C-alpha cells in the first residue's frame, strides 16, 4: 500500500511537466477586444520546454480577410504593412527570397499571379489559404496541388500558398522533412480555422535560450489540435514570425533584433490581415 501511495505521489509530481489539452486552453491568458476579436498568450513550460505562444482569433463573417502583396521596396515588417492598410489584425504570410524581398510561393489577388512556388520550396509548400470572395468572408485552408493551383488562383479573390499543411478536417497531415526544417525547434507562424469557423493567427516564439525554444512541426501540429483547430497551415517562420493587432500592437517577440521585446520585426513582402 505504501509503495502504491508513493507511485501516485510520483505520478502527480510529473503531471505539471506536460500540459493536457484542457490545461493548455485553461492557461491561455485571453483579452477580449470586442466585436468578435480576441487575443491570447501562453508563457511557461509546455511539453518539457519553455514556450511563448501569441494568438489572435476573430470571426471572419464580421471582418474582411485579405492578402497584401508588398514586394521589393514596398516590403516592411508585418506591423507596418498592417497599419498601412488600416488592418485590425495581421500575421506574416508566405516564404520569400530575403535578398530580393519577392515571394517564392504562389500568391494571387483578383486572378493576377504575383508569385509562384519555386522548386526549392516544394518539399514543404503543400497547402494554401484561399479567399473566395472579394468581401473576404469566405476563407478556407486547402491542399495545394500543381494540377489545380492555376484554376484555383483564377477563380478566387486571393490565394497564398505555404506549408506544411498541419491539419485538414481535424486530421494530422503527413509532411516531408528536409535539412531539419520540420524537426528543428524554430519560431513558427500559423493560420488556422476552428470548428466554429473562427480564424486564428498564431505565433510561436523561439531563439531565446531558456525563455522560449520554438517548436518542431510535430509540436506545432499538436498545439493546433489541442487548441481546437480543424484546419491549420504553417506559414513562414523564423525571424519573420509576427502577429499584430491595431489595439495591442505586436503580440509576440520577433527575433531579428535578438532581444526579447516587440521590436524585432523583419521586412516581409506579404501578409494576411483582416479589417
Amino acid at each position: 500500500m505504501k509503495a502504491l501511495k508513493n507511485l501516485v505521489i510520483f505520478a502527480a509530481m510529473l503531471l505539471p511537466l506536460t500540459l493536457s489539452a484542457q490545461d493548455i486552453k485553461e492557461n491561455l491568458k485571453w483579452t477580449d477586444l470586442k466585436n468578435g476579436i480576441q487575443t491570447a498568450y501562453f508563457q511557461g513550460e509546455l511539453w518539457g520546454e519553455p514556450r511563448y505562444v501569441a494568438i489572435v482569433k476573430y470571426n471572419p463573417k464580421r471582418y474582411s480577410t485579405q492578402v497584401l502583396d508588398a514586394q521589393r521596396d514596398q516590403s516592411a515588417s508585418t506591423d507596418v504593412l498592417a497599419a498601412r492598410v488600416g488592418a485590425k489584425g495581421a500575421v506574416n504570410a508566405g516564404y520569400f527570397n530575403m535578398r530580393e524581398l519577392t515571394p517564392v510561393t504562389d500568391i494571387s489577388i483578383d486572378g493576377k499571379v504575383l508569385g509562384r512556388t519555386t522548386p526549392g520550396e516544394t518539399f514543404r509548400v503543400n497547402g494554401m489559404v484561399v479567399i473566395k470572395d472579394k468581401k473576404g468572408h469566405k476563407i478556407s485552408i486547402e491542399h495545394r496541388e500543381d494540377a489545380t493551383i492555376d484554376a484555383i488562383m483564377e477563380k478566387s479573390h486571393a490565394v497564398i500558398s505555404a506549408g506544411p499543411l498541419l491539419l485538414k478536417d481535424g486530421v494530422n497531415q503527413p509532411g516531408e522533412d528536409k535539412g531539419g526544417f520540420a524537426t528543428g525547434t524554430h519560431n513558427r507562424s500559423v493560420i488556422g480555422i476552428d470548428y466554429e469557423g473562427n480564424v486564428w493567427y498564431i505565433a510561436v516564439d523561439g531563439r531565446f535560450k531558456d525563455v522560449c525554444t520554438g517548436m518542431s512541426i510535430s509540436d506545432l501540429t499538436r498545439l493546433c489540435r489541442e487548441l481546437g483547430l480543424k484546419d491549420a497551415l504553417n506559414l513562414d517562420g523564423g525571424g519573420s514570425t509576427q502577429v499584430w493587432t491595431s489595439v495591442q500592437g505586436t503580440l509576440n517577440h520577433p527575433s531579428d533584433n535578438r532581444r526579447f521585446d516587440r521590436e524585432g520585426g523583419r521586412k516581409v513582402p506579404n501578409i494576411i490581415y483582416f479589417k
Side-chain angles (χ1 to χ4, degrees):
M1 181 65 70
K2 184 177 180 180
L4 178 60
K5 182 178 179 181
N6 289 339
L7 180 61
V8 171
I9 293 173
F10 178 71
M13 291 172 64
L14 291 179
L15 285 176
L17 295 179
T18 304
L19 295 175
S20 69
Q22 184 179 11
D23 287 332
I24 292 170
K25 291 181 179 180
E26 289 181 353
N27 281 275
L28 287 173
K29 310 299 183 183
W30 285 98
T31 299
D32 188 357
L33 302 185
K34 309 300 183 182
N35 300 315
I37 306 172
Q38 294 177 296
T39 64
Y41 74 92
F42 171 85
Q43 184 173 21
E45 188 171 297
L46 179 62
W47 310 321
E49 297 288 345
R51 318 278 190 179
Y52 192 97
V53 180
I55 297 168
V56 178
K57 180 174 75 169
Y58 67 96
N59 182 344
K61 293 181 180 179
R62 302 183 67 171
Y63 296 94
S64 176
T65 301
Q66 301 291 338
V67 173
L68 174 65
D69 173 66
Q71 299 183 33
R72 299 183 175 87
D73 59 348
Q74 297 299 310
S75 296
S77 56
T78 295
D79 57 324
V80 172
L81 292 179
R84 186 183 295 172
V85 294
K88 295 290 187 182
V91 63
N92 66 288
Y95 300 107
F96 63 96
N97 182 308
M98 290 183 61
R99 177 176 295 180
E100 298 180 2
L101 291 170
T102 54
V104 293
T105 61
D106 310 294
I107 176 171
S108 66
I109 299 175
D110 288 331
K112 182 179 180 180
V113 177
L114 304 166
R116 287 288 192 178
T117 297
T118 61
E121 296 296 329
T122 55
F123 77 97
R124 58 184 173 183
V125 178
N126 64 346
M128 58 186 174
V129 179
V130 179
I131 302 172
K132 298 177 182 179
D133 61 320
K134 286 191 175 184
K135 292 184 177 180
H137 298 310
K138 298 178 181 179
I139 304 104
S140 64
I141 295 172
E142 308 289 349
H143 289 277
R144 180 212 178 272
E145 298 178 356
D146 289 339
T148 57
I149 183 66
D150 288 349
I152 291 172
M153 289 195 295
E154 183 177 350
K155 69 181 181 181
S156 303
H157 167 57
V159 175
I160 188 162
S161 62
L165 190 63
L166 306 174
L167 295 172
K168 182 60 185 171
D169 297 323
V171 178
N172 289 20
Q173 299 300 298
E176 177 188 353
D177 186 26
K178 183 176 182 180
F181 165 78
T183 57
T185 54
H186 302 291
N187 318 43
R188 307 280 186 180
S189 300
V190 173
I191 182 170
I193 300 174
D194 64 25
Y195 286 87
E196 287 73 45
N198 298 304
V199 176
W200 295 52
Y201 301 159
I202 303 173
V204 175
D205 285 340
R207 300 181 180 174
F208 295 104
K209 187 178 180 182
D210 301 324
V211 178
C212 48
T213 59
M215 288 188 183
S216 66
I217 289 297
S218 62
D219 287 338
L220 195 64
T221 302
R222 179 180 178 183
L223 175 70
C224 292
R225 171 181 288 282
E226 296 191 357
L227 288 173
L229 299 187
K230 178 183 177 183
D231 302 322
L233 178 67
N234 182 66
L235 301 170
D236 186 19
S240 300
T241 297
Q242 188 172 10
V243 291
W244 173 93
T245 68
S246 59
V247 174
Q248 296 174 304
T250 297
L251 301 179
N252 66 306
H253 304 84
S255 62
D256 258 17
N257 63 354
R258 301 183 181 181
R259 297 194 302 270
F260 192 68
D261 59 23
R262 315 286 183 179
E263 305 301 322
R266 173 183 291 176
K267 282 186 176 182
V268 296
N270 47 66
I271 62 171
I272 301 169
Y273 69 94
F274 67 95
K275 61 183 295 186

